[in-house]
Amino acid sequence: QVQLVESGGGLVQAGGSLRLSCAVSGRTLSSVTMGWFRQAPGKEREFVAGINWSGGSRYFAESVKGRFTISRDNAKNTVYLQMNSLKPEDTAIYYCAARRSLLAGPGEYDYWGQGTQVTVSS
């Protein structure tokens, strides 16, 4: 079973930055595509960013493109979401997810973490 544990959430002022981390265990990170999703109160869960096993393919939602960066360090079995120029509308619970796929991008993911709260103050 793939286990995903998010960390790095917190409170930040608008315009600031946070880096989320997702520690992966139970399966080699290089064999799966990783993604980040988020869900704000009263809203549907939405895809944020994805990265394939090699890191050579990345995909971002239009709402975060140019502000967020996804990366992975397979030696550390960790995936990161660097969030810059944060806006209040970025406030949400952020979830790390994984799937056995060569494709980055939105779609169905099979494994999920418990989430980490990101709050952006105005």
Side-chain angles (χ1 to χ4, degrees):
Q1 178 71 26
V2 174
Q3 296 175 315
L4 309 175
V5 180
E6 303 95 334
S7 63
L11 176 65
V12 65
Q13 187 178 1
S17 299
L18 283 174
R19 187 180 74 165
L20 305 183
S21 298
C22 175
V24 185
S25 62
R27 187 178 179 88
T28 177
L29 188 60
S30 64
S31 68
V32 297
T33 288
M34 305 298 301
W36 286 95
F37 292 75
R38 67 187 182 186
Q39 187 167 23
K43 295 184 178 180
E44 301 293 328
R45 185 182 63 191
E46 64 175 339
F47 173 83
V48 176
I51 187 169
N52 75 341
W53 72 271
S54 69
S57 179
R58 300 186 297 176
Y59 193 100
F60 299 93
E62 286 298 320
S63 60
V64 305
K65 197 171 186 178
R67 298 189 297 121
F68 291 11
T69 299
I70 187 170
S71 61
R72 66 194 299 164
D73 186 338
N74 290 347
K76 296 181 179 179
N77 291 329
T78 303
V79 179
Y80 304 97
L81 183 68
Q82 178 67 48
M83 305 184 294
N84 300 322
S85 301
L86 283 163
K87 306 173 181 179
E89 51 262 45
D90 294 319
T91 295
I93 300 175
Y94 283 72
Y95 298 91
C96 181
R99 66 183 179 191
R100 297 184 181 92
S101 174
L102 297 177
L103 302 177
E108 295 185 358
Y109 284 72
D110 302 311
Y111 307 99
W112 295 85
Q114 295 299 311
T116 185
Q117 177 71 45
V118 172
T119 303
V120 184
S121 62
S122 61

